[in-house]
Amino acid sequence: MQPARPGDPKQVGPYRIVGRLGSGGMGTVHAGLDRTGLRVAVKIVHPAQAEDSEFRARFRREIQLSARVQGPCLIPLLAADPDADTPWLATAYTPGFTLDQHLAVYGPLSGGALHAFASGTAQALAGIHAAGIVHRDVKPQNVILTPAGPRMLDFGIAHAADGTSVTRTGVMTGTPGWISPEHYRTGTAGPEGDMFAWGALVAYAATGRLPFGTGAPDAVAYRVMSEEPDLHGLPDELHELVERAVAKEPSDRPVASDAVAECVALLSAQTTQVVSPGSNPTLISDLVAGQWHVPVPDDPAWPRPVRPLRGRVVTAAVAFAAVAVLGGLAAYAAVAGPGDTNLAREAPASSSRPSDDISRRSAPPTTATTDLATPMTPEPPVDPRTIRVPTDPLVGVPHPAYSRAGDEAQPHPDEWWTSTTADGTEEREAEQAIRHHMNSMLATKDMDFMEPTITFNLRAQTVIVTGGPVPQLPDDHQEVFRQAGQMAACTALAHRLKNKPTTWPYGRFSIHWKTSDAEAPAISYGEATGGCFGEIAGQWHGAEAGMATAEFPSSDKAEIRVADAAVKAITATWNANTTETNADPIGTGDGISLGFDPVENAAYVWTDDPRGRFTSRASQSNLVGAVEEAVCRELVEEFSNNRGWNYTRWAVAVYDPYTDGRRFIGSGTCTS
């Protein structure tokens, strides 16, 4: 780890930054610590790329695709925020030399370690390819020799900046010596190209030489396309496999899964020579570990930062997902195991809600975030492995029925025109689930008069939710409908993609608003493979759309009662706890309001601040504290007594005189 430099962030998401691990073409990799001291590698993209909307879209898509990758010899991603001002992602930190660093100091691999290297890297590529991803940059700098075995890094994300193997100007990207013949000829970068580079990688690990030599890039390119590789010194048992892998024709190369099988057979033969009968390991990770004996660099503990005194100490434990990717000098690759540590409150046996209804959740410990001064910086989560990132329900599915994952094309009008009503049990159940979710949400805003129309377009693999036309309906009704439709459709589709990934073909949804009987423009669209939660790195932050919904008056008696009690409790808590303002306590004229967003189960507190009460950092800090204490008390009490109560989140916003609008200053989740 290198020291942090002036201008480096002090904190990214839930991680405190304590130094640097390296930098590359896409960004800088920082050393980070969670609250318990667990070390992570945090990659922050360069500002120039962060300003490119196309880059952000590709970055987000690569994160979603990488969620499908799982298996040994890959490193889990812990959190990511592609929509931050400066996008970032974080992976587990694993010490070790890169392959080229190891060869420079210790020389080539041999014996069991070489077979373990070949097996592990082939298995990593097999996992990547099974998820429909191409690495595109297999090379020694992207393989770390960790104490537990080789780990392949930097797939997908490294090329998010240009999206393909060839830039828009036609300039070839990649590293000479690791580019396949077809890549040179046509710019094609498929799984076969990865296997070509894998063959060269194994040869390099065994001999310390690049099989097509070094020198000027055009000279190397000529040898790759026209000459035979130099495989002298490669062990006989690997020679034939590697020779096939570096064949000129892509069709002559083995696929990654076949290479794994052959390498594991060789590795198993090595293992049986050194273990007692009956104790042979069978998992690839065990086989690799059994033969893996390579030096590792000194890895001293990272210094923990000095923490300032805090006015309010809060903790978090959110939901769980492990995915994958990171790049540059430090690391990123992938393994996924999405889940949710929140425990669903079971509905009674007589409940008529569909099996995939949005579950009641017992909330995690109270957590708050804020953009105020350092004392209000949130505590990182107790365990970053429990951070929820957008998770893909198709993770680990080799051949899902839904094939449009990552397709960001906007809905075409013909998709609405040609969609049809539910056909068959599966579609009818999905329709009922979406309708049930939406009706429950719309009813709280006295909008149960609006019955959504649910249709299906199999060719577009899209479920379409349509509302309107309603004469003289205000725009805020449309916003409530949009939010309800988006959350209901996304949740229902994600449930089915997860449970029936090889047969359920619908993964996209679009929300439409009829302007006439003949037209219904799309007002929202998305796909269920990108996650259905408004969270960033495990922390829900609130949103303008949710605020707009909360401002719409509720017709639910329980919501009206709790809102009234909560506003009074906020006022009382402020006046009791904020000694510096006791001479001028909050009153009804301070304009504090509270409303509910049933889409994300959140209570929003806001003030238009007519007296300028909440313009200072200290007053905003105190307001967040009062809201956290008072609102959570009211929400938890209702949650305990009312089985139909779903609200466990809160967010608070104040008037911002600089923008003449509102700014969120804190948010969190309540628990008993």
Side-chain angles (χ1 to χ4, degrees), residues 338-529:
D340 192 337
T341 57
N342 290 340
L343 301 176
R345 176 188 285 185
E346 296 294 337
S350 60
S351 172
S352 62
R353 72 172 49 169
S355 60
D356 72 331
D357 192 9
I358 300 174
S359 300
R360 288 288 311 276
R361 302 289 185 180
S362 59
T366 302
T367 177
T369 61
T370 176
D371 57 3
L372 303 180
T374 302
M376 285 300 298
T377 302
E379 288 279 350
V382 172
D383 184 351
R385 289 171 298 179
T386 65
I387 293 171
R388 178 184 293 166
V389 295
T391 56
D392 189 341
L394 296 179
V395 59
V397 180
H399 304 292
Y402 174 63
S403 59
R404 290 190 65 181
D407 184 349
E408 298 181 357
Q410 295 188 21
H412 192 276
D414 286 348
E415 294 179 10
W416 181 76
W417 270 107
T418 58
S419 64
T420 59
T421 56
D423 181 20
T425 302
E426 297 268 334
E427 290 185 5
R428 282 193 291 271
E429 288 181 351
E431 177 191 8
Q432 292 170 5
I434 295 171
R435 191 182 305 280
H436 177 83
H437 299 342
M438 292 193 67
N439 288 342
S440 298
M441 292 182 239
L442 294 174
T444 67
K445 301 300 182 182
D446 203 19
M447 291 175 58
D448 44 7
F449 62 87
M450 183 174 293
E451 186 69 19
T453 300
I454 318 295
T455 53
F456 298 79
N457 189 314
L458 183 59
R459 180 182 293 273
Q461 297 185 301
T462 302
V463 172
I464 296 173
V465 179
T466 306
V470 180
Q472 299 179 338
L473 190 67
D475 291 341
D476 49 8
H477 283 77
Q478 179 177 316
E479 174 60 25
V480 173
F481 182 88
R482 184 194 68 80
Q483 276 214 91
Q486 182 167 306
M487 178 59 74
C490 187
T491 304
L493 296 187
H495 172 84
R496 283 160 175 76
L497 289 173
K498 182 177 181 180
N499 288 282
K500 299 183 178 180
T502 60
T503 58
W504 179 254
Y506 299 100
R508 279 173 59 93
F509 58 87
S510 59
I511 315 301
H512 294 248
W513 190 258
K514 292 180 71 174
T515 55
S516 69
D517 289 339
E519 291 185 320
I523 58 175
S524 179
Y525 68 97
E527 63 174 12
T529 58

Side-chain angles (χ1 to χ4, degrees), residues 168-229:
R168 292 184 179 87
T169 58
V171 177
M172 180 67 63
T173 62
T175 305
W178 310 99
I179 299 175
S180 66
E182 67 272 17
H183 191 170
Y184 277 119
R185 295 189 188 104
T186 66
T188 302
E192 300 84 359
D194 283 350
M195 292 310 297
F196 178 90
W198 174 83
L201 191 73
V202 174
Y204 180 60
T207 66
R209 301 188 313 275
L210 274 69
F212 294 97
T214 60
D218 55 348
V220 175
Y222 175 81
R223 290 194 291 269
V224 167
M225 291 186 287
S226 305
E227 297 184 359
E228 295 302 312

Side-chain angles (χ1 to χ4, degrees), residues 74 80 129 139 159 174 312 350 388 423 430 484 497 502 576 578 658:
L74 298 166
H129 294 169
K139 60 184 180 182
H159 294 275
R312 299 186 63 85
S350 60
R388 178 184 293 166
D423 181 20
L497 289 173
T502 60
T578 312
Y658 298 102

